[in-house]
Amino acid sequence: MTEAKTGTGPLAGVRVVELAGIGPGPFAAMLLADLGADVVRVDRPGGGGLAIDPAYDVTNRNKRSVLVDLKSGEGPARVLDLAERADVLIEGFRPGVAERLGVGPAECLARNPKLVYGRMTGWGQEGPLAHTAGHDIAYIAVTGALGMIGAPDGPPAVPANLVGDYAGGSLYLGIGVLAALQHARTPGGAGQVVDAAIVDGTAHLTAMIHGMVAAGGWQDRRGANLLDGGCPFYGTYETSDGGYMAVGALEQRFYDTFVRLLGIADGAPARKDLARWGELREAVAARFKTRTRAEWMQVFEGTDACVAPVLSLGEAPHHPHLAARATFSDFGGITQPAPAPRFSATPTAIASGPARPGADTESVARDWDVPGLSAKGA
């Protein structure tokens, strides 16, 4: 069981209620917890989260958990008791579900007018698809983001669930609730609802690309542009041992270093000759195939060639730079990313492992003064 939050992160003292879900909602709540907020996750009896042992669900680290059955007679009242004492509430139900359960914005804001009510969905609270099911891949598909990723002669490449769920969803919900919290705490400010739709956030991520399309600097097809693998000096190349190196030598001075260290400076076609980009790509690919990934790592180590090895999840924590920065942490027997970003005056840390469903009911009942949560107070 975790104790009351006493961290020094920049959100220390902020109270967050998270109505348990999966995917982007829990990740956004983890981000707030990593930053020092006291996040209480309201789990439902019988589970309903990821199909893994809760002990390994690191998106629930730095949180506390209580069990509340929202379909019971007393369930909604317990959540409203928490909302009354919270600064932020996060839910990820389909539109209308929270209202039917009695814990929608109207009920929560009536109890706590300063509350920031964060809503995490794929399609948003309104629109033709608002009430339909979906997952990351569908959300990024309709926004044009998925269609940009992959080789020109193959299908779009699925970028795990990072672009939609976490970049377009969790991070936008996080910045949204923090902006709303700032407003609520200003003189005359009030709580409000933050509608964080993954389709909105993902579309927003493509802002620069839309500008480049308008300016004629980006073709609306994948594998044909500067940053989508169409450029021979911005992409990945296989090495002799089946590994890969990532090249991002966009600027001329970095490109000059790259081709010199690669060993093709004298014979490579001019980089500005787009008609010969295919030839240049073949020359780069052939050269990379002459050595192993480890050998190329030694060649480019510490240079401004903008070349890096493509590492697996298991390899990443051992990269010398990431290891020196402690970008990853071993906590509770699980190797996981450390909190980010970093703060000079209010450092963050992993203070507790994944919250086990219901394990913190007594401590939350005491610390938040909600005796109805506790079996002792019932």
Side-chain angles (χ1 to χ4, degrees):
M1 179 170 61
T2 51
E3 297 299 323
K5 293 282 287 191
T6 57
T8 59
L11 294 184
V14 173
R15 287 179 168 180
V16 178
V17 175
E18 174 200 352
L19 302 186
I22 60 174
F27 189 89
M30 182 203 74
L31 175 60
L32 301 178
D34 282 354
L35 297 179
D38 183 3
V39 176
V40 172
R41 178 177 166 96
V42 179
D43 279 298
R44 69 195 70 175
L50 288 177
I52 63 171
D53 185 335
Y56 295 94
D57 186 358
V58 297
T59 63
N60 284 329
R61 72 187 185 192
N62 286 341
K63 303 177 184 178
R64 295 191 285 175
S65 170
V66 301
L67 284 181
V68 175
D69 183 358
L70 277 169
K71 295 183 179 180
S72 70
E74 294 298 318
R78 297 290 78 80
V79 169
L80 293 176
D81 287 342
L82 289 169
E84 183 177 343
R85 295 157 175 79
D87 300 289
V88 175
L89 183 145
I90 290 174
E91 62 94 358
F93 300 125
R94 289 200 204 185
V97 172
E99 285 84 350
R100 290 196 298 272
L101 291 171
V103 293
E107 294 86 356
C108 289
L109 287 166
R111 293 282 292 270
N112 181 359
K114 291 285 189 179
L115 181 70
V116 173
Y117 194 103
R119 315 199 82 167
M120 181 76 263
T121 61
W123 303 113
Q125 296 299 310
E126 56 187 19
L129 296 177
H131 293 275
T132 62
H135 283 294
D136 174 289
I137 192 168
Y139 310 138
I140 68 174
V142 301
T143 59
L146 180 59
M148 293 193 300
I149 305 170
D153 55 353
V158 181
N161 69 329
L162 302 179
V163 174
D165 279 355
Y166 294 150
S170 304
L171 298 186
Y172 277 85
L173 177 61
I175 195 170
V177 298
L178 292 179
L181 183 61
Q182 167 65 16
H183 170 73
R185 291 183 167 186
T186 58
Q192 61 181 304
V193 177
V194 178
D195 176 6
I198 294 174
V199 288
D200 295 346
T202 304
H204 195 259
L205 290 170
T206 66
M208 182 191 76
I209 306 300
H210 278 278
M212 294 178 71
V213 170
W218 189 280
Q219 300 180 61
D220 193 10
R221 56 190 180 91
R222 64 180 170 277
N225 300 285
L226 194 64
L227 303 175
D228 65 357
C231 172
F233 41 91
Y234 196 89
T236 58
Y237 291 93
E238 188 176 6
T239 57
S240 64
D241 59 344
Y244 286 86
M245 297 294 288
V247 178
L250 292 176
E251 293 82 357
Q252 183 67 54
R253 65 186 186 279
F254 302 148
Y255 177 82
D256 291 341
T257 301
F258 164 60
V259 292
R260 175 175 58 81
L261 293 175
L262 189 65
I264 62 170
D266 295 332
R271 71 184 230 133
K272 294 183 179 180
D273 187 352
L274 272 64
R276 299 185 68 188
W277 266 14
E279 182 182 344
L280 176 57
R281 184 188 307 281
E282 291 177 0
V284 172
R287 184 61 180 159
F288 268 118
K289 288 283 284 186
T290 64
R291 297 186 186 181
T292 66
R293 189 185 70 176
E295 290 171 332
W296 284 119
M297 288 172 65
Q298 288 185 322
V299 169
F300 291 107
E301 180 69 27
T303 73
D304 280 345
C306 298
V307 177
V310 178
L311 302 182
S312 69
L313 291 175
E315 292 173 319
H318 305 290
H319 186 277
H321 182 77
L322 303 186
R325 286 182 57 81
T327 298
F328 290 85
S329 175
D330 290 313
F331 189 94
I334 303 174
T335 299
Q336 56 196 284
R342 305 181 185 203
F343 300 85
S344 61
T346 54
T348 60
I350 302 176
S352 62
R356 309 298 179 89
D360 309 291
T361 301
E362 297 294 333
S363 68
V364 173
R366 179 191 67 240
D367 299 335
W368 284 41
D369 191 23
V370 186
L373 280 174
S374 170
K376 298 176 183 178

